[in-house]
Amino acid sequence: MATVIGLGGSQSGLTPAIPSSHNENSIEQKLGRVGSDASIVLGAHRPGRSSASLAASLAGPPAISAWRIDRLARIAIDGQAHDLLREIDDLIRAGISAPELFVDLLAPVARRLGDLWEDDRLDFIEVTMGLWRLQEVLREIGGHAPRAPLASLPRTALFTLLPEDVHSFGAAMVHECFALAGWQAELLVAASRGEILSAIAGAYLDLVGLTVANDSHIEPAQSLIRAVRSVSMNPNVRIMVGGPVLTRNPGLFAQLGADAMADDAIAAVKVGEHLVDAVRLAAPA
């Protein structure tokens, strides 16, 4: 059954955290000593991001380092969400914004978990539970972060992922960034194709965001995007895509039939604003 998360909403039907049976040493061995600051889902490169912003989030103490990413990955596997929050409290108190924490810290940790799974150093359940804990942290940080006020005519968006994709962390991160930016945004997870299209047909949406995880999802994504345009209440709905496959091949968005892609969740907000505002400006008065 699909789950919809709106502004200030909470996700239902989540499996309770399962205590890991692995001890600290076994997790250390699985993690190894190689750090990673790559990103998941929408990437970590933001053209046009100010040097001052980068300095605030990446330079000097407290630093978002490869060591910290590895440590948080270990805690995500073998700890709980409150342990992760305690580890990043210094970054929160230093004033790093919620979107920057999402993209520059939580996303690389999620990518690290994915890398460990691909290397057969973590199993599927460990990765799933690690991502679940990261998503708990995402919601906790977002729930206490300042939000831009909704405009009198707010931009509206729905974010989802293909039914074939089992991990919703990336889509949740993008949704949270849009919500913080003042969008009327919803996240639809664990949804069938029919449920996705029904949700889109039943609401006036300016933007639909779709995560495409890998190459095997290209054809299903093309088909779903065509269907989205045919059922949308808004004839000028804009569709934005993101995901690892788009990060590797940015030009693929046009082949999918989308209007744009973004490297990460922060860039996605800017791209989404541009897409929607362009449509509104072109509309007859």
Side-chain angles (χ1 to χ4, degrees):
M1 181 177 67
T3 300
V4 179
I5 303 173
L7 288 173
S10 62
Q11 184 170 346
S12 62
L14 287 173
T15 305
I18 300 173
S20 173
S21 61
H22 299 277
N23 61 31
E24 183 79 6
N25 289 334
S26 69
I27 297 300
E28 290 272 9
Q29 292 168 358
K30 287 183 176 183
L31 283 168
R33 299 191 177 276
V34 180
S36 171
D37 60 359
S39 64
I40 194 170
V41 179
L42 289 174
H45 175 60
R46 288 182 291 287
R49 189 178 176 197
S50 71
S51 58
S53 175
L54 284 171
S57 62
L58 299 178
I64 299 179
S65 62
W67 173 87
R68 187 186 289 263
I69 290 165
D70 264 2
R71 177 168 175 77
L72 290 174
R74 180 168 61 249
I75 295 170
I77 298 163
D78 209 37
Q80 300 296 335
H82 61 81
D83 300 317
L84 290 165
L85 285 165
R86 186 166 53 244
E87 284 292 321
I88 64 176
D89 182 63
D90 61 326
L91 300 175
I92 296 171
R93 287 187 285 105
I96 298 178
S97 72
E100 287 176 323
L101 284 172
F102 298 161
V103 172
D104 293 328
L105 182 64
L106 298 187
V109 174
R111 178 55 181 270
R112 182 74 173 120
L113 296 179
D115 290 343
L116 291 166
W117 177 64
E118 290 181 358
D119 293 341
D120 292 324
R121 286 189 279 171
L122 292 178
D123 61 35
F124 181 80
I125 293 176
E126 287 173 315
V127 172
T128 298
M129 294 310 301
L131 290 174
W132 181 84
R133 293 176 185 121
L134 289 178
Q135 197 158 325
E136 286 285 286
V137 171
L138 179 83
R139 289 200 295 270
E140 181 69 18
I141 294 173
H144 290 87
R147 292 177 181 259
L150 287 175
S152 57
L153 182 60
R155 304 180 185 98
T156 58
L158 182 143
F159 299 95
T160 191
L161 53 155
L162 291 166
E164 294 86 352
D165 196 351
V166 295
H167 293 307
S168 61
F169 175 76
M173 179 172 60
V174 177
H175 162 262
E176 192 64 45
C177 285
F178 273 78
L180 290 173
W183 286 62
Q184 186 173 310
E186 290 189 341
L187 171 65
L188 184 63
V189 299
S192 67
R193 176 186 168 99
E195 288 171 325
I196 292 170
L197 295 177
S198 178
I200 290 168
Y204 189 93
L205 297 167
D206 294 308
L207 179 73
V208 173
L210 179 66
T211 297
V212 185
N214 57 58
D215 292 338
S216 68
H217 293 173
I218 290 175
E219 288 188 11
Q222 289 173 321
S223 174
L224 182 59
I225 288 172
R226 287 194 298 268
V228 165
R229 294 196 190 279
S230 69
V231 304
S232 175
M233 191 181 297
N234 176 7
N236 294 312
V237 65
R238 290 297 179 255
I239 300 174
M240 181 165 56
V241 291
V245 68
L246 275 303
T247 301
R248 294 191 298 269
N249 183 7
L252 183 62
F253 82 88
Q255 180 182 334
L256 292 175
D259 298 295
M261 63 83 62
D263 286 328
D264 65 41
I266 293 176
V269 174
K270 299 300 182 184
V271 173
E273 289 172 352
H274 173 77
L275 288 173
V276 173
D277 291 351
V279 171
R280 291 185 175 185
L281 285 171

